[in-house]
Amino acid sequence: MRIGILGAGGMADALGTQWARAGHEVLISGRDLARSTAQAERMTSHATATPTHPPRSAIRGEVADVRVRGAVRGEVADVRAVRAGSWAAAAEFGDVVMVAVRQAGVTDVLRAAGAAMRGKPVIDVSNAEGPGGYDPARPLAGLIHELTGGHVVKAFNLCHVDVWRMTPPVFDGRPLAVPLCGDDPAALVAVRTLVTDLGCTPVDGGGLDRAVLLEATAAFMIGLWFSGADAQAVLPPLAHSGAHQP
Ligand SMILES: NC(=O)c1ccc[n+]([C@@H]2O[C@H](COP(=O)([O-])OP(=O)(O)OC[C@H]3O[C@@H](n4cnc5c(N)ncnc54)[C@H](OP(=O)(O)O)[C@@H]3O)[C@@H](O)[C@H]2O)c1
């Protein structure tokens, strides 16, 4: 898959490196081409140097890609060099485009990226910034949908960037589950593949109208984490959720 990333910061680095390692083609973008190019070179060397894990989508045969099949045999995938370009270049390049810029820059970046994302799968990882930054009346996913005309899928916003660097993110033997909110079936298929390529399990979170709930969840959980509380401890296991008999 060709993945264009609007952003050259932490999330672009963490997720883009994982996807390059899994054999995808990645192009990142930032405000300064020299800085983004240096970042792309670091991503290429990390993707090449770090051992890969078997991408689950490849195990299930969803990805017909010889480079990824190589990774299943425990070999290092044929990593293509991560590239850097302008915002518009990343929007043009991607079969899938990920928006990974700070809230303050979203509108300007998407305007600069132009019309190329119309009708494409667009991954939105964004969260509101700072206390008071979250406004339930103005979901970031809705703004990104309006400005791009893309098939937006909200994903990857619930965990800190360091979790997305883990190969794979597994806690107490349980692979991390990643909820996806989006409306377009083809876009959801593409993003599910990218989730499984991290060694994670995709979870259906409903339509894009529910992305606001993912944004609210992140705002609430981040508040708990910063106050020193274990956000996971506030939720019961599935058997005690009320939806299933223990
Ligand atoms: N970090 C996390 O743990 C985490 C976890 C989940 C979700 N997220 C969300 O993911 C998105 C990206 O986060 P990140 O951690 O990758 O951020 P970051 O490391 O600070 O990178 C931000 C990117 O946004 C670009 N940008 C464009 N306009 C900007 C502006 N006006 N002000 C600041 N940056 C601007 C930056 O460009 P330059 O490259 O030119 O600086 C950079 O590429 C955010 O919405 C964040 O809420 C972050």
Side-chain angles (χ1 to χ4, degrees):
M1 213 183 284
R2 285 160 72 103
I3 305 167
I5 303 183
L6 302 179
M11 290 293 277
D13 174 30
L15 291 166
T17 300
Q18 297 265 30
W19 291 327
R21 189 179 290 130
H24 298 291
E25 286 184 76
V26 175
L27 189 151
I28 63 169
S29 51
R31 288 171 291 188
D32 180 302
L33 185 58
R35 212 168 58 215
S36 309
T37 302
Q39 175 62 25
E41 283 166 7
R42 284 193 294 276
M43 290 168 70
T44 303
S45 79
H46 286 152
T48 312
T50 320
T52 187
H53 65 90
R56 290 161 164 232
S57 54
I59 294 169
R60 291 206 311 267
E62 288 172 6
V63 178
D65 184 328
V66 71
R67 289 169 293 116
V68 178
R69 283 203 298 274
V72 172
R73 291 195 302 272
E75 299 163 6
V76 174
D78 178 10
V79 174
R80 313 248 184 109
V82 176
R83 281 175 269 174
S86 64
W87 306 117
E92 284 280 345
F93 176 84
D95 304 316
V96 172
V97 181
M98 180 167 82
V99 180
V101 297
R102 295 252 177 172
Q103 182 180 19
V106 168
T107 302
D108 287 349
V109 168
L110 293 182
R111 291 208 171 113
M117 283 182 275
R118 184 159 295 282
K120 286 188 185 182
V122 172
I123 304 173
D124 165 27
V125 305
S126 51
N127 281 323
E129 267 173 58
Y134 172 66
D135 179 355
R138 293 173 51 82
L140 288 160
L143 175 68
I144 290 170
H145 175 65
E146 273 167 39
L147 290 173
T148 62
H151 297 303
V152 177
V153 177
K154 183 110 202 167
F156 307 113
N157 70 315
L158 293 186
C159 293
H160 187 264
V161 63
D162 289 345
V163 171
W164 304 122
R165 296 185 201 281
M166 294 173 68
T167 53
V170 172
F171 299 96
D172 296 329
R174 194 185 59 176
L176 183 70
V178 181
L180 310 181
C181 290
D183 294 330
D184 183 70
L188 285 164
V189 166
V191 183
R192 277 188 209 114
T193 297
L194 295 175
V195 168
T196 55
D197 283 346
L198 302 174
C200 298
T201 307
V203 174
D204 178 9
L208 193 62
D209 58 339
R210 289 170 63 85
V212 66
L213 300 180
L214 280 185
E215 293 176 16
T217 304
F220 193 75
M221 295 299 177
I222 290 167
L224 289 184
W225 284 317
F226 272 89
S227 70
D230 179 358
Q232 206 178 19
V234 306
L235 299 171
L238 179 62
H240 295 274
S241 64
H244 298 265
Q245 291 305 313

